[in-house]
Amino acid sequence: MKTSLFRICMVLALILVISPTVLRAQGKGNLEGVWNITVTVTDCQTGAPIRTVHALQLFHQDGTFQETANTASRGISLGVWSPDGAKTYKANYWFYRYKPDGTFASLAKATNNIMLNHDGTLTTAGLIQDFDATGALISTGCVVHQGIRLASADQ
């Protein structure tokens, strides 16, 4: 009886030690890390490109998200992300837009559907909604992202 109890305890201890390693190994194909993103703003009706912006996106292990873009007309993005299937994710985040004089223009909400591709890149299709200072919707736009990973937690 003591031998069986000892074996059970040893197996449980081994599981506790191995589990984090297995979970980290399973996460290697996930979204966590820093990504270099090309954002193409598109016409929602036709898909025609309107402009391109470059951004750095950081997907944290805890499901939070940060982004900075190469334009002075907007602030940093803050939000959340979560898995949505095999190699697919959803992200929702917000950022401020500014007028040329630096005053508030709108609060933008981004809703993105993200797919990790077999070659390690990501592709996103998303929607951006802009709200004025009273919270009224003032515009809606579409975006497509193409991204390459710069760093992950494993690197």
Side-chain angles (χ1 to χ4, degrees), residues 17-128:
V17 169
I18 292 175
S19 293
T21 304
V22 171
L23 290 174
R24 278 194 300 274
Q26 290 173 345
K28 287 188 178 186
N30 72 18
L31 196 56
E32 293 171 23
V34 180
W35 294 82
N36 187 13
I37 305 292
T38 300
V39 180
T40 304
V41 179
T42 63
D43 179 297
C44 292
Q45 307 306 318
T46 66
I50 296 172
R51 71 180 168 277
T52 300
V53 177
H54 297 281
L56 293 175
Q57 295 182 343
L58 174 57
F59 295 87
H60 295 273
Q61 182 180 11
D62 66 359
T64 58
F65 170 90
Q66 292 173 291
E67 176 190 55
T68 186
N70 70 336
T71 175
S73 64
R74 58 169 282 191
I76 64 166
S77 303
L78 299 173
V80 295
W81 67 277
S82 61
D84 191 43
K87 303 281 188 181
T88 60
Y89 303 86
K90 289 195 177 290
N92 295 306
Y93 52 93
W94 297 260
F95 58 91
Y96 290 114
R97 292 189 197 267
Y98 302 101
K99 296 177 184 173
D101 66 1
T103 60
F104 175 83
S106 65
L107 173 64
K109 177 186 179 190
T111 306
N112 289 335
N113 295 307
I114 305 164
M115 181 178 358
L116 285 184
N117 302 313
H118 295 295
D119 63 0
T121 63
L122 69 74
T123 306
T124 299
L127 190 67
I128 304 287

Side-chain angles (χ1 to χ4, degrees), residues 127-149:
L127 190 67
I128 304 287
Q129 297 174 299
D130 285 292
F131 299 89
D132 69 14
T134 68
L137 180 64
I138 54 176
S139 69
T140 300
C142 293
V143 294
V144 176
H145 295 175
Q146 298 293 324
I148 59 169
R149 187 188 304 269

